[in-house]
Amino acid sequence: MRIGYSFWGFLGNGITDTPDGGRSHRRPLIDALLDRGHEIVFLQANRDLIEAGDGLGNVYTFHSGSPDIDALFLEWRWAIHGRNTTPCGAEGHMCDLHRQAELVTRYTVRRKTPTVIWDKDRKLRGGESVWRRVPHATVYEAALEPTPGAQRLLFPVDDRLLAEADPVALAKRPRDLVLGYVGNQYDRDEHFDRFFAPAAACFDHLVGGKWTKTGRWPHVRFLGRLPFEAVHGVHGRSLATILMVPETYAAVGQMTQRIFEAVLAGCLPLAPADIVHADRFVPKELIVSSGSEVIERLAHLQRISGTQQHADLIASCLDRLDLFRLSRQVNVLEAVLDTAAGPLAIERGAA
């Protein structure tokens, strides 16, 4: 099928001053769809080229108009006051929301084009979203318990990376930090207060990402936003991290890409117990209920660092990443595309 794909972010490393977390999994998903014979046309601006000066070898197709497509795939965008709600051409304006509105109006509403909406940030929760009632549109969430009416599409991790990961080698890697975290502050203060801040008072640590309100944690070492390519380095230096997520994610078992970014670098993820299905993300030894438990687990991990027991824990975390395996997520998408292709094939035959 020819898929029109809308996303606001980057396929490569992009720029530092951006919250785009999709860089760890977007391009593998796209490449997997291409490998399976689909054609992809990107329908938002080529930010890799415009902002980062990265042409990515001109291997991808971008289109600013209205190309003929068989299906529309949207990484869902929402209103951000002062950024994409301002008039086109205004200082600091981002046109992602305007372009998305144009796309859904032209394709989903007028042409009845089969549409996949990946609500990665849970902005279409509840029955009030009109898109849940459109027969030819399917809403996906990256959660183990998606909202009724939505389906599950998790953030994918490349099968090849899972196959190449060596738990023993990762356990033996020297690490100068006990605790590391890479991610932005958005709605994570409660987890940070309960789990990270107490441990940061006891162990060498650092936090990378956009954290603008940090006054109540003067003892925490905040580095600010890091280049995307530096994320792996932080995890590679850290014995462990904490899987801090917003309450809206924790309640439905939605885990971000941070889990496989960490595990693939041998950084053990501690999961707060209030994350639904936490035991599906990490082994029970890495589930924590309080700051004191985080401190106790980190001290234990220090004692076993580099041992077979450490390697076994990493291996157990790698096994749980099978849930996010790229080939699984592509199969989910192709099932929807195959369903959509039926009526299209009939129409083409009639033509």
Side-chain angles (χ1 to χ4, degrees):
M1 298 183 70
R2 193 172 198 229
I3 303 168
Y5 195 116
S6 170
F7 74 95
W8 188 252
F10 299 91
L11 294 165
N13 288 326
I15 59 175
T16 300
D17 189 21
T18 176
D20 179 31
R23 286 172 289 186
S24 65
H25 57 265
R26 181 179 295 119
R27 193 174 180 185
L29 177 64
I30 295 300
D31 288 345
L33 288 170
L34 292 171
D35 287 344
R36 294 196 183 191
H38 302 288
E39 182 182 355
I40 307 293
V41 181
F42 294 121
L43 300 175
Q44 293 273 5
N46 183 351
R47 296 181 68 196
D48 289 277
L49 181 61
I50 296 169
E51 299 179 39
D54 183 357
L56 292 177
N58 297 314
V59 296
Y60 300 103
T61 301
F62 288 80
H63 202 298
S64 60
S66 306
D68 289 332
I69 58 174
D70 300 321
L72 177 64
F73 186 105
L74 303 162
E75 291 187 22
W76 191 252
R77 301 299 299 168
W78 63 97
I80 304 173
H81 181 69
R83 294 172 66 185
N84 59 12
T85 58
T86 54
C88 294
E91 183 178 357
H93 175 74
M94 303 189 311
C95 217
D96 58 311
L97 194 63
H98 291 169
R99 176 61 167 163
Q100 179 175 271
E102 178 186 8
L103 295 172
V104 296
T105 299
R106 177 170 286 114
Y107 293 109
T108 311
V109 177
R110 294 177 183 167
R111 299 185 184 178
K112 303 295 188 288
T113 301
T115 300
V116 172
I117 297 173
W118 197 9
D119 187 15
K120 300 167 73 173
D121 296 273
R122 292 183 51 75
K123 299 297 182 180
L124 297 177
R125 289 176 288 152
E128 70 275 8
S129 171
V130 65
W131 303 113
R132 296 181 182 278
R133 302 190 295 274
V134 174
H136 53 280
T138 306
V139 176
Y140 282 96
E141 296 174 356
L144 295 185
E145 292 190 5
T147 305
Q151 298 187 40
R152 179 194 302 174
L153 181 65
L154 303 182
F155 301 130
V157 59
D158 197 326
D159 296 44
R160 176 182 55 82
L161 296 178
L162 295 178
E164 293 175 353
D166 182 345
V168 173
L170 290 171
K172 290 181 178 178
R173 178 183 295 179
R175 300 175 189 271
D176 62 313
L177 296 172
V178 177
L179 184 60
Y181 182 78
V182 180
N184 297 324
Q185 187 166 9
Y186 312 133
D187 300 320
R188 287 170 170 81
D189 285 17
E190 195 271 339
H191 268 177
F192 197 86
D193 262 332
R194 286 177 57 198
F195 300 106
F196 196 98
C202 303
F203 300 100
D204 290 336
H205 68 276
L206 60 78
V207 176
K210 185 180 180 180
W211 290 71
T212 57
K213 299 178 181 178
T214 61
R216 68 177 185 265
W217 307 303
H219 64 289
V220 176
R221 184 185 175 199
F222 293 98
L223 298 182
R225 275 184 169 161
L226 302 174
F228 177 68
E229 57 269 32
V231 172
H232 184 79
V234 172
H235 289 133
R237 294 174 56 192
S238 303
L239 183 62
T241 189
I242 301 175
L243 299 174
M244 297 180 286
V245 297
E247 188 279 331
T248 55
Y249 290 12
V252 294
Q254 175 160 328
M255 184 51 60
T256 73
Q257 71 283 354
R258 300 304 177 195
I259 188 169
F260 52 79
E261 290 176 354
V263 174
L264 290 171
C267 177
L268 289 169
L270 303 180
D274 62 0
I275 298 176
V276 169
H277 299 304
D279 60 333
R280 297 188 65 183
F281 298 126
V282 301
K284 66 179 186 303
E285 301 97 310
L286 299 181
I287 298 175
V288 291
S289 299
S290 65
S292 60
E293 283 193 8
V294 173
I295 293 169
E296 181 273 324
R297 301 297 164 82
L298 291 177
H300 172 68
L301 294 179
Q302 280 187 303
R303 290 191 293 271
I304 67 169
S305 179
T307 67
Q308 185 60 47
Q309 189 177 357
H310 185 194
D312 290 344
L313 265 181
I314 295 175
S316 184
C317 290
L318 286 167
D319 288 343
R320 281 165 169 78
L321 291 186
D322 186 69
L323 189 66
F324 302 89
R325 185 177 291 274
L326 174 63
S327 55
R328 289 180 180 272
Q329 312 315 314
V330 177
N331 287 342
V332 169
L333 270 181
E334 283 211 309
V336 172
L337 295 173
D338 287 345
T339 300
L344 287 168
I346 293 173
E347 290 176 12
R348 286 170 178 156

